[in-house]
């Protein structure tokens, strides 16, 4: 492990040539992470019910994380080695997005307040809906997660210049699966956070954990009728890209985005109903 740490580079920059450059790089790295932790703590201190990050902060954080991670895994080599580095980047980015979903998803009361505001303003301010979904403090997180995905995946595009045509095709399929599973988990989390149960946060985190852990444990047991295609049903479907026909992967991607569409429709209907009932309650009062 020490040998692996000693061989780390960031975009091949020789920051380990002497102790001063190493200390400077590590110090800047720590300062950057301290800044983001401080921003989250500052928001929660000022407003305990606010999301850990604002949507604007999340875009900058994803760009920071993606660039930092790309620098550590970036190298030249054969397709097999490069694809392993890409899988490493996708896996670490997956865990980052799980934290981002938790940090950006507003809870039931905030969503109800937003739905009531949108219901009141819909007649005169329809054009601001997209802007509100991208920047609003209390709006659902789905569109912001999608934009963050676009930022993260754009930072991975330099891999295409390093891979062969076959490797490039695998890369595109892998990031499509990655985007699909992130959007599915984000939609499930946001929908569960609208539940009326007082333990909705526990239900949300427990459900997401089960969706990640259970399929992985089942696949690791080596059940005879499960093959590489079964990995497409796991939380890491990109791991099966090299062992699965492209048409099967495309069908899996289509299924993922269909699920996202159905969950988003359900959330929209639920918020519309909440906004209407809240407004009716105010008018009756």
């Amino acid at each position: 492990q020490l040998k692996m740490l000693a061989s780390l580079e960031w975009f091949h920059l020789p920051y380990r040539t002497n102790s001063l450059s190493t200390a400077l790089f590590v110090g800047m790295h720590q300062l950057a992470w301290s800044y983001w932790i401080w921003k989250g703590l500052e928001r929660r201190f000022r407003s305990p019910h606010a999301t850990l990050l604002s949507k604007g902060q999340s875009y900058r954080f994803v760009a920071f994380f993606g660039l930092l991670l790309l620098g550590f895994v970036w190298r030249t080599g054969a397709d097999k080695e490069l694809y392993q580095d890409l899988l490493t980047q996708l896996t670490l980015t997956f865990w980052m997005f799980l934290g981002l979903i938790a940090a950006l998803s507003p809870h039931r009361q905030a969503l109800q307040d937003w739905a009531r505001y949108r219901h009141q303003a819909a007649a005169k301010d329809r054009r601001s809906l997209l802007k509100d979904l991208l920047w609003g403090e209390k709006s659902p997180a789905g569109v912001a997660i999608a934009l963050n995905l676009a930022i993260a995946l754009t930072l991975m595009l330099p891999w295409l210049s390093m891979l062969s045509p076959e490797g490039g095709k695998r890369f595109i399929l892998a990031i499509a699966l990655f985007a699909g599973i992130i959007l599915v988990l984000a939609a499930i989390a946001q929908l569960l956070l609208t539940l009326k149960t007082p333990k909705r946060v526990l239900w949300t985190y427990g459900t997401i954990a089960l969706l990640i852990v259970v399929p992985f444990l089942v696949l690791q047991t080596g059940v005879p009728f499960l093959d590489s295609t079964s990995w497409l049903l796991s939380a890491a479907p990109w791991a099966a890209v090299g062992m699965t026909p492209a048409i099967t992967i495309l069908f899996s991607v289509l299924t993922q985005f269909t699920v996202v569409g159905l969950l988003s429709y359900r959330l929209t209907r639920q918020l519309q109903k909440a906004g209407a009932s809240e407004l009716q309650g105010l008018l009756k009062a």
Side-chain angles (χ1 to χ4, degrees), residues 235-246:
W238 56 88
V241 168
M243 306 172 286
T244 309

Side-chain angles (χ1 to χ4, degrees), residues 126-270:
R126 291 179 184 273
R127 294 183 181 179
S128 69
L129 176 59
L130 179 60
K131 181 179 178 181
D132 203 18
L133 290 171
L134 288 172
W135 302 99
E137 290 286 326
K138 296 181 178 181
S139 60
V143 175
I145 294 294
L147 180 55
N148 277 310
L149 269 172
I151 294 170
L153 297 181
T154 298
L155 290 172
M156 296 182 192
L157 289 180
W159 284 109
L160 282 174
S161 64
M162 308 289 291
L163 294 165
S164 67
E166 180 62 27
K169 183 179 76 173
R170 292 174 61 191
F171 165 80
I172 293 172
L173 292 173
I175 63 174
L177 287 168
F178 175 82
I181 193 64
I182 291 295
L183 291 175
V184 167
L185 294 176
I188 291 173
Q190 190 64 91
L191 188 60
L192 290 176
L193 286 173
T194 64
L195 294 175
K196 293 182 179 181
T197 173
K199 297 186 182 296
R200 55 184 170 271
V201 176
L202 184 61
W203 276 105
T204 301
Y205 293 161
T207 301
I208 296 299
L210 287 174
L211 290 174
I212 294 171
V213 174
V214 172
F216 178 78
L217 292 178
V218 171
L219 289 166
Q220 290 298 313
T221 58
V223 179
F225 61 84
L226 295 179
D227 56 12
S228 60
T229 308
S230 303
W231 279 97
L232 295 174
L233 303 176
S234 73
W238 56 88
V241 168
M243 306 172 286
T244 309
I247 188 63
T248 304
I249 295 174
L250 290 174
F251 179 76
S252 179
V253 172
L254 179 61
T255 302
Q256 287 176 336
F257 282 89
T258 300
V259 171
V260 172
L262 292 174
L263 292 172
S264 299
Y265 175 77
R266 172 62 179 168
L267 178 63
T268 300
R269 295 291 296 171
Q270 199 162 323

Side-chain angles (χ1 to χ4, degrees), residues 40-84:
L41 293 175
E42 184 182 31
R43 278 178 59 82
R44 295 305 291 267
F45 178 78
R46 291 181 177 181
S47 179
H49 299 292
T51 54
L52 195 59
L53 291 175
S54 70
K55 291 183 172 68
Q57 288 173 337
S58 74
Y59 306 142
R60 297 192 294 273
F61 173 76
V62 169
F64 157 77
F65 183 88
L67 189 62
L68 181 69
L69 183 57
L70 180 63
F72 282 119
V73 299
W74 181 259
R75 65 172 175 173
T76 58
D79 256 15
K80 184 178 180 180
E81 296 172 339
L82 293 175
Y83 196 72
Q84 288 300 318

Side-chain angles (χ1 to χ4, degrees), residues 85-101:
D85 291 340
L86 174 62
L87 292 182
T88 299
Q89 187 173 6
L90 285 175
T91 301
L92 293 175
T93 304
F94 171 78
W95 291 109
M96 183 274 291
F97 264 97
L98 287 183
L100 194 67
I101 290 170

